[in-house]
């Protein structure tokens, strides 16, 4: 981890966390539900999406404020709900997540489903209370719903489930991931652009950066399932192969997947360089820090 | 059904339905997911909540427009998602809903969970695209999230699940239902008030109407489970007793529940009369029509 990005993460994660916990505490009426939601939020996530959003805002030299942390918190809540539901017996049937028992293993399936529903709903609740221009606020809500709904994350999850045990093409695999994990990663960057810049070119380059970052992120996930260190990633490796899942490794082989990973990291770097030119930024930015961090396998 | 209300329902249900189907069709990327969502939306619901919202808007003599149908559609989508998730094996484990196999019986549990998630997310997506004043738009989104989230509908469902097999007091039963079914019914009326009136007194009386309507609605549901006609209500009667559920009938007895039902209908009528006085309305309104319709057991 680059020193700057590490400091940035260490400084901001507690603020993101506090924003989530305080909002849920205030808007919760059921202790058991709150406990189940917090359990998954506290389960040691890297806060990749919220940090990516905050790094995008920082890219425009904006000071981070309450509103920014609220968007970051909503993003993490949506991500966490999707993990709780994905882990359910009817879906991926996972017992461990980040080295800890999954939500339904601790609270039972009913509460796990409901705590996912609640995190999803409260993410929109939180965004709707943000004290910013109401036009920007609804645009941020609209884009979040689009990224996480039936043309984004959920559509990707449906494709993933229906595609198990079936061989698909590399193109279909990319399409599935662009929805399942890519859409929310892109949202993290797009939301920052919506708040900070109206420039068409800027949006174009930063979204290209986000798109390639998202693909690289997914390839890394597939690689780690083959060559990762179980103690570090907090789950058993080899699960994809056991589930007969389509992955970059199963389609391209280990070396092919490593090459594709390097290639998308490079494309992300190039797009970022274009965005930096537009703002005449010479120094390394946190968005490069995120990419450097991603490159470590 | 009073003639006026019947005509109102017959005229508006197709518009509500079209609004839902068109929006989902446009924002959907997975045929299977869309099919599963539509299956439950088409399963013969009475559209009680969206009609209640539209009747509230009509109470203020406003002509019904696209925006109103969008709020109505979002309300029905939230309600339908909650039914799909409630019916899951991990929850109430119901095989039939409105006389048809439940969503997971047809599409499997994974797709049922995801189609619920998608209806919930797309409800907010739809609201965020509405072409009205952006301040009103976020207020409508905020209230919907509040009503359906962890201090509203979901908290009520958690209480219901945790309370099974345990005897609770009448007060606790009312508290549970005020969240589980009451919050969304109240939202239907409150959303109409937010759009049409800024008057404090008006809001007070109409919310009291909604509150009592919501309680009466729930008592009727409990009564029908004991004395209802299976062919009309589309599910087996006696399910509450078999599940050892706390109901108005189990706590008050059949006659006691009937009296409580009549009492809350009367309270709703009285509050409505006060609201009508404020607007100097002499004629019967659709909000009375809804109450008359509810009274038929």
């Amino acid at each position: 981890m680059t020193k700057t990005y590490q400091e940035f993460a260490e400084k901001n994660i507690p603020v993101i966390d506090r924003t989530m916990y305080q909002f849920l505490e205030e808007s919760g009426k059921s202790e058991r539900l709150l406990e189940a939601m917090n359990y998954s939020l506290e389960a040691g996530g890297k806060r990749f999406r919220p940090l990516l959003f905050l790094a995008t805002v920082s890219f425009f030299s904006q000071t981070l404020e309450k509103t920014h942390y609220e968007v970051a918190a909503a993003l993490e809540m949506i991500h966490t709900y999707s993990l709780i539901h994905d882990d359910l017996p009817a879906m991926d049937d996972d017992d461990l997540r980040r080295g800890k028992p999954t939500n339904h293993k601790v609270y039972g399936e009913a509460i796990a489903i409901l705590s996912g529903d609640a995190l999803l709903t409260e993410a929109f609740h939180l965004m709707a209370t943000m004290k910013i221009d109401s036009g920007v606020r609804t645009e941020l809500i609209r884009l979040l719903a689009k990224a996480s709904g039936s043309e984004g994350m959920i559509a990707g999850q449906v494709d993933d489930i229906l595609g198990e045990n079936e061989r698909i093409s590399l193109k279909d695999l990319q399409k599935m991931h662009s929805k399942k994990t890519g859409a929310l990663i892109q949202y993290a960057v797009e939301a920052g652009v919506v708040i900070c810049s109206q420039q068409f070119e800027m949006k174009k380059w930063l979204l290209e950066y986000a798109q390639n970052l998202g693909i690289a992120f997914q390839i890394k996930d597939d690689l780690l399932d083959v060559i990762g260190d179980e103690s570090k990633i907090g789950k058993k490796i080899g699960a994809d192969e056991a589930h007969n899942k389509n992955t970059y490794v199963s389609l391209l082989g280990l070396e092919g997947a490593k090459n594709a990973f390097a290639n998308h990291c490079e494309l992300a770097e190039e797009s970022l360089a274009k965005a930096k030119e537009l703002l005449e930024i010479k120094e390394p930015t946190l968005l490069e820090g995120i990419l450097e961090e991603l490159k470590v396998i």
Side-chain angles (χ1 to χ4, degrees), chain A:
Chain A
M1 217 185 260
T2 61
K3 188 165 171 291
T4 330
Y5 180 69
Q6 191 174 4
E7 277 172 9
F8 178 74
E10 279 170 11
K11 195 176 141 193
N12 286 295
I13 287 176
V15 192
I16 299 166
D17 288 0
R18 208 159 50 232
T19 308
M20 296 193 293
Y21 300 141
Q22 277 181 2
F23 183 78
L24 291 175
E25 175 95 39
E26 281 163 22
S27 66
K29 284 270 175 69
S30 159
E31 269 181 46
R32 187 74 175 161
L33 181 65
L34 186 63
E35 195 189 314
M37 287 191 280
N38 283 344
Y39 175 79
S40 288
L41 290 174
E42 285 164 2
K46 298 181 298 294
R47 310 293 189 233
F48 176 72
R49 291 153 192 81
L51 287 171
L52 177 60
F53 165 73
L54 295 175
T56 306
V57 174
S58 303
F59 184 78
F60 294 97
S61 310
Q62 289 219 7
T63 313
L64 297 179
E65 289 168 9
K66 189 160 185 265
T67 305
H68 302 128
Y69 290 106
E70 287 170 336
V71 176
L75 248 171
E76 187 68 10
M77 285 156 70
I78 294 272
H79 172 59
T80 304
Y81 118 75
S82 78
L83 299 183
I84 297 175
H85 281 192
D86 281 8
D87 286 339
L88 287 167
M91 308 266 229
D92 291 352
D93 195 13
D94 277 318
D95 294 350
L96 284 179
R97 162 75 65 183
R98 297 163 181 164
K100 288 173 69 178
T102 45
N103 197 295
H104 65 271
K105 280 281 157 192
V106 180
Y107 296 95
E109 273 181 67
I111 298 295
I113 294 167
L114 290 168
S115 62
D117 293 345
L119 283 168
L120 167 53
T121 311
E122 293 303 324
F124 288 109
H125 190 188
L126 174 56
M127 302 260 299
T129 63
M130 293 191 307
K131 303 232 177 319
I132 41 160
D133 172 80
S134 55
V136 174
R137 192 169 50 202
T138 35
E139 182 61 3
L140 291 173
I141 293 173
R142 188 183 72 77
L143 291 170
L144 179 61
K146 196 173 145 85
S148 56
S150 61
E151 58 186 296
M153 191 174 73
I154 298 174
Q157 177 67 359
V158 170
D159 289 355
D160 195 14
I161 281 176
L162 297 179
E164 264 176 43
N165 304 317
E166 254 177 55
R167 276 289 145 246
I168 60 173
S169 68
L170 181 64
K171 203 180 144 199
D172 285 342
L173 183 74
Q174 283 209 348
K175 227 165 116 180
M176 185 265 282
H177 285 308
S178 76
K179 293 181 280 184
K180 190 179 168 179
T181 52
L184 212 55
I185 290 174
Q186 278 210 49
Y187 174 79
V189 171
E190 191 171 9
V193 177
V194 165
I195 294 176
C196 304
S197 164
Q198 306 302 318
Q199 215 183 327
F200 177 78
E201 279 281 289
M202 179 62 79
K203 185 171 173 181
K204 178 175 170 264
W205 293 122
L206 283 183
L207 282 189
E208 265 196 41
Y209 160 82
Q211 202 180 353
N212 284 295
L213 186 77
I215 299 173
F217 182 90
Q218 185 59 50
I219 303 177
K220 179 174 173 177
D221 198 60
D222 289 352
L223 283 169
L224 285 179
D225 192 68
V226 181
I227 56 169
D229 179 339
E230 286 186 6
S231 68
K232 274 192 200 157
I233 59 176
K235 59 181 179 185
K236 281 211 177 315
I237 67 165
D240 291 339
E241 203 181 343
H243 280 88
N244 212 3
K245 281 215 167 192
N246 290 294
T247 69
Y248 282 93
V249 180
S250 76
L251 286 181
L252 300 174
L254 192 56
E255 282 314 302
K258 281 181 179 172
N259 288 339
F261 175 72
N263 181 35
H264 284 287
C265 286
E266 204 172 303
L267 288 171
E269 232 155 38
E270 284 171 20
S271 305
L272 185 56
K274 302 275 189 187
K276 285 176 70 177
E277 268 175 36
L278 289 174
L279 283 177
E280 294 179 16
I281 303 174
K282 302 264 186 287
E283 305 297 301
T285 67
L286 291 162
L287 292 179
E288 270 132 337
I290 285 181
L291 202 50
E292 291 309 312
E293 167 67 7
L294 186 72
K295 281 186 191 166
V296 183
I297 291 195

